[in-house]
Amino acid sequence: MNVGVQEFRNVSLSKLCDAFTTVFVDQLSDGSIRIFPCRVITQTKSQRQLIEVIESDLLGTVLVLDGELQLASSDEDVYHLAITNAVALNTRKWAKGCRALVLGGGDGCAARELLNHGHIEKCVIVDFDQYVLNLFRSQSLGQIFRTLQTFHDTRVEVVCSDATSFLERNSAKWHAVIVDLPDYYVVNRRKFGELLSLVRRRLTSGGVLALQAGPSRTIQPWLYDVLQGCRLVIIATHTIRLLSFGEDWTIVVAQLQVN
């Protein structure tokens, strides 16, 4: 089954004319399929991935990467509030001195929510695709997703790099790390373990990690073992309903054990 943005023949009109409709085809974690009529706003192939921005009457403006839905303007705030609030609440002890790192947050939405908390002194956004970063800095998407001000905030630094390389190259310590990377990280034990091992070394003692663990029905049992092996103690889990994804999504919050 092909997923992503594609042309679909309108069978009911096909006898009258060659009528085609652009649709977004999405496959959920249980194998079921959703099809949304859409309008393509932009479509380009960067050095990293196929990037598409579409509009849907149901989901609003949607970012699609390599055929996979990433976020939709209709409910992205639900997701980003959930992944940032737990981090912000558990780092208030570093009053006005908290350093936060967002891995994979090229849309700027997680940083946008973090900066609403006054104790966040520094926020570094790391994303491996410069084109995505530029999209959300643009006037059009920046206004829709309210990220224009985020990218111009003096507390924000943007780095174009993959997460692993960034963590390997930079020895800075962080009070908070948000892992907002694609699902292939949280379904691959080796890749996930390597990443969390690097995150652990960059967290301050008592520092907080929040990560998207994917669809709630498909969470890998070993995910919790990997966190424990990295001395990251789970302090909260949040299950949220996302209309744009068509299913529940889980966010895990963990804290580095104090020495």
Side-chain angles (χ1 to χ4, degrees):
M1 178 69 193
N2 292 329
V3 297
V5 181
Q6 53 194 273
E7 282 196 324
F8 176 77
R9 188 176 184 86
N10 190 326
V11 178
S12 63
L13 296 177
S14 61
K15 293 181 180 179
L16 301 176
C17 60
D18 289 330
F20 287 85
T21 301
T22 302
V23 297
F24 175 67
V25 181
D26 186 30
Q27 185 171 23
L28 304 184
S29 61
D30 65 356
S32 61
I33 299 295
R34 302 185 302 165
I35 299 177
F36 300 105
C38 67
R39 299 171 294 280
V40 178
I41 305 305
T42 184
Q43 186 178 64
T44 189
K45 181 77 173 176
S46 74
Q47 292 182 332
R48 295 284 192 170
Q49 57 200 334
L50 175 63
I51 302 165
E52 296 166 299
V53 178
I54 62 175
E55 283 187 353
S56 158
D57 290 340
L58 180 63
L59 303 181
T61 303
V62 182
L63 174 67
V64 179
L65 300 179
D66 282 339
E68 298 287 340
L69 188 150
Q70 301 299 312
L71 77 164
S73 60
S74 60
D75 63 358
E76 60 81 11
D77 56 332
V78 175
Y79 170 78
H80 289 108
L81 282 168
I83 202 169
T84 56
N85 277 355
V87 165
L89 291 173
N90 285 282
T91 55
R92 287 180 297 181
K93 58 187 175 183
W94 291 291
K96 296 189 181 301
C98 182
R99 291 170 46 83
L101 174 66
V102 181
L103 299 174
D107 50 72
C109 296
R112 179 196 69 208
E113 299 301 335
L114 281 174
L115 295 176
N116 288 328
H117 299 270
H119 66 287
I120 303 295
E121 181 182 68
K122 178 79 172 179
C123 181
V124 174
I125 301 170
V126 176
D127 195 283
F128 74 171
D129 199 318
Q130 187 65 54
Y131 192 90
V132 171
L133 291 165
N134 292 343
L135 266 180
F136 286 87
R137 283 169 160 165
S138 69
Q139 190 73 19
S140 55
L141 284 195
Q143 287 185 335
I144 293 170
F145 289 92
R146 298 173 288 121
T147 54
L148 275 180
Q149 185 176 350
T150 301
F151 284 108
H152 288 92
D153 195 299
T154 56
R155 293 171 291 172
V156 172
E157 178 184 347
V158 179
V159 178
C160 185
S161 170
D162 69 88
T164 300
S165 297
F166 177 84
L167 291 169
E168 288 174 340
R169 291 195 315 264
N170 293 271
S171 59
K173 294 286 188 177
W174 305 92
H175 303 106
V177 176
I178 291 177
V179 178
D180 193 13
L181 294 169
D183 293 346
Y184 58 74
Y185 271 91
V186 294
V187 297
N188 184 314
R189 184 167 186 160
R190 180 189 60 80
K191 186 180 290 289
F192 184 68
E194 290 173 354
L195 178 71
L196 286 191
S197 180
L198 287 168
V199 169
R200 179 200 65 195
R201 283 152 44 190
R202 301 296 176 245
L203 274 173
T204 61
S205 181
V208 180
L209 161 74
L211 60 92
Q212 70 91 359
S216 300
R217 66 162 63 95
T218 63
I219 291 178
Q220 305 295 320
W222 50 255
L223 182 147
Y224 301 103
D225 295 333
V226 172
L227 284 164
Q228 185 177 16
C230 291
R231 294 192 299 117
L232 292 162
V233 178
I234 295 173
I235 58 176
T237 58
H238 301 285
T239 300
I240 53 176
R241 166 63 65 167
L242 293 173
L243 171 65
S244 58
F245 284 87
E247 53 191 320
D248 291 343
W249 219 257
T250 295
I251 291 167
V252 177
V253 185
Q255 188 170 38
L256 182 62
Q257 291 179 343
V258 178
N259 294 329

